[in-house]
Amino acid sequence: MIVVFGSINIDLVTRVERLPGAGETVLGPDYAVHPGGKGANQALAARRAGAAVTLIGAVGRDDFATTALSLLAAEGVELRHVARLPAPTGAAFIAIDPEGANQIIVAAGANAGARPDALRDMAPGPDDILLLQREVPEEACLEAARLMKSAGGRVVLNLAPAGAPAPALLDLLDILVVNEHEARVLAQSLGWPEREPDAIVRRLDAERGIAGIATLGAAGVVAWQGDRRERLAAPAVAVVDTVAAGDSFTGAFAATLAAGKGLPDALRQGLAAGSLACTRSGAQPSIPRSAEIAALAGRSFPQGR
């Protein structure tokens, strides 16, 4: 089982000719409303990749809550531990340019009150994985990690949005997933001089015993675990937008680990899922399913340098 403790949002998405600068207004022709939030996205990605998934989080008592949970419910993610709080459902405001680059502002709403207490009653075991991100309070993530580690399970943190993780949380991690920017923020928070993601995740593995995974956008992924390097270049795809590419990677990656596969297989499945997500618009609507992930993962990926 994968337990995701994380955010649940509604996404308001608009396409623009270019992303605005500071203090600038840029007009978009229209907007779309999609379910989102890093916790919810990764829960859906893991479920679509074939895992049994429980989501712990919080939404408001508003109409947005129904929309935010709709695809999760339809896909069979266990939602009974999602709290309904007297606060607005979290929201993300997303602008996307013609090349697929984006700017995102997230309003926490009910996510600020998310608590992992349900994890205590779920009796997780050594075969279970806890998946965390940084759109819910870090103290709550730390409590969730302690509960999973005390049960013998594994803890995976996706350091998104980028920020310095608490030392106590780092001490509980088995796997840390970062993109290039998040890797540099991590290095700076630890006082490391390294700037290249490859070197940063290598040091994370060597000094902290945490398997480090760095996603590199179109360049693919690099990982270090037990002083062993894994490197894959990304398959060529036509990029529509990159929203939820990282979440799709992380969810499929975790689902592969939960199925008993090793790191190389998990990286390949995650990279296929993240690449496929780039070919469609929206967050959760873009998250691929297991059959198409397997089809792309079955292709020959070039070995990155």
Side-chain angles (χ1 to χ4, degrees):
M1 178 178 65
I2 294 175
V3 179
V4 180
F5 174 59
S7 58
I8 305 165
N9 290 338
I10 197 76
D11 290 348
L12 291 93
V13 184
T14 186
R15 295 193 168 273
V16 293
E17 286 300 313
R18 59 185 176 81
L19 299 174
E24 183 181 13
T25 297
V26 174
L27 297 179
D30 54 23
Y31 67 93
V33 179
H34 301 297
K38 286 198 163 293
N41 292 349
Q42 293 182 18
L44 184 66
R47 178 61 185 149
R48 285 186 173 172
V53 181
T54 294
L55 176 61
I56 302 175
V59 294
R61 298 169 184 165
D62 49 26
D63 291 341
F64 274 163
T66 301
T67 303
L69 297 173
S70 59
L71 284 179
L72 296 163
E75 297 286 348
V77 174
E78 176 57 66
L79 299 176
R80 61 180 164 170
H81 301 299
V82 174
R84 299 271 185 160
L85 302 182
T89 296
F93 306 90
I94 304 171
I96 303 170
D97 74 8
E99 284 71 48
N102 61 68
Q103 286 182 345
I104 304 174
I105 297 172
V106 176
N111 293 309
R115 297 291 308 159
D117 302 345
L119 190 58
R120 189 176 289 105
D121 302 324
M122 291 169 59
D127 294 329
D128 296 330
I129 293 173
L130 173 67
L131 189 51
L132 302 170
Q133 317 79 32
R134 299 190 66 257
E135 288 184 342
V136 293
E138 188 169 55
E139 280 300 315
C141 287
L142 179 58
E143 183 180 347
R146 285 171 174 153
L147 289 168
M148 181 58 79
K149 290 299 285 187
S150 68
R154 288 178 285 179
V155 179
V156 180
L157 172 64
N158 177 210
L159 197 70
L169 183 57
L170 269 182
D171 290 343
L172 294 168
L173 298 184
D174 296 283
I175 299 171
L176 182 62
V177 180
V178 291
N179 65 17
E180 294 169 273
H181 172 62
E182 293 153 6
R184 294 183 183 110
V185 170
L186 172 69
Q188 183 177 28
S189 75
L190 294 173
W192 294 349
E194 286 85 356
R195 296 291 296 164
E196 292 302 315
D198 192 339
I200 292 166
V201 293
R202 181 179 189 177
R203 187 166 180 175
L204 186 70
D205 171 52
E207 293 191 6
R208 297 296 184 110
I210 302 169
I213 318 296
T215 59
L216 308 172
V221 64
V222 63
W224 284 87
Q225 183 179 45
D227 203 32
R228 178 175 176 177
R229 183 180 189 257
E230 302 286 346
R231 178 74 171 90
L232 287 174
V237 296
V239 175
V240 173
D241 81 52
T242 58
V243 174
D247 293 336
S248 295
F249 172 92
T250 304
F253 172 84
T256 308
L257 293 179
K261 304 292 182 62
L263 182 67
D265 283 335
L267 293 172
R268 180 174 289 271
Q269 295 286 322
L271 189 52
S275 299
L276 287 165
C278 292
T279 66
R280 300 162 210 166
S281 295
Q284 290 184 19
S286 74
I287 294 172
R289 300 178 184 278
S290 58
E292 56 186 334
I293 295 170
L296 183 55
R299 286 170 38 184
S300 178
F301 285 19
Q303 295 293 315
R305 290 185 295 174

